[in-house]
Amino acid sequence: YVVTLEFGGDAEAYPLVVDTGSSNLALAASTCSCGEGSTTFDCTEVASETITVTYGSGQWSGVASEPMSVAFEGTSVGDANVTLACITSQDDFFTSSSYNGILGLAYSALAQSYAGGVAATPLLDQMYADGAMAADAFSLSFCEDAPVLALGGYDSTGLQSAGLTSVPTLTLEGEYTYYLVSLESVSV
């Protein structure tokens, strides 16, 4: 699943993979030899704040950006004061030309920090703190024909007839990290 974000004063639009198992926001910088993920995006970097993030498959390295404008394309949800990681190198991270970065939606405890322990704040946390979102909430509907990422709550379109049910998420070792739920049973 991919969502398009607009970056910088020129609102350059790039598609990013939506990931609920990580928390960093990152976009390939124009200086990156990123193969299929390459962009023309010129990122004003904070050279001392480097970062490397490794996933189950693939990894990227980069540097923090100076605060910039980031918005969800086609919406009024945006923030002029967002810091993100500008990807400068990668190893098996970009496996398709359909995305140029990643939007991590997990809890902030999973955000990889920059060098020197400088915290990386997830995008939605930054937007909520700056007043760009009315509620500190989002929801995903993974429907084949019409997936939806709702910001500030959930999209009730089509969910009323589906009988929407919510369940609490659980902590792992005392903190919220991954979206964990308790199942009572599983049957096939």
Side-chain angles (χ1 to χ4, degrees), residues 4 11 20 24 44 59 68 90 99 101 115 129 149 153 157 161-162 166 179 184:
T4 301
T20 59
N24 291 83
T44 304
Q59 74 172 22
M68 71 175 71
Q90 61 92 33
Y99 63 96
L149 168 61
T157 306
S161 62
S166 63
Y179 296 103
E184 288 183 9

Side-chain angles (χ1 to χ4, degrees), residues 141-165:
S141 171
F142 293 117
C143 301
E144 289 279 331
D145 296 330
V148 174
L149 168 61
L151 304 167
Y154 69 93
D155 178 9
S156 62
T157 306
L159 295 179
Q160 298 302 329
S161 62
L164 177 67
T165 301

Side-chain angles (χ1 to χ4, degrees), residues 5-14 27 41-44 66-71 79-82 84:
L5 295 180
E6 298 172 338
F7 297 88
D10 295 334
E12 292 181 59
Y14 292 102
L27 175 67
F41 186 71
D42 289 322
C43 182
T44 304
E66 289 289 341
M68 71 175 71
S69 175
V70 176
D79 190 339
N81 192 36
V82 173
L84 64 127

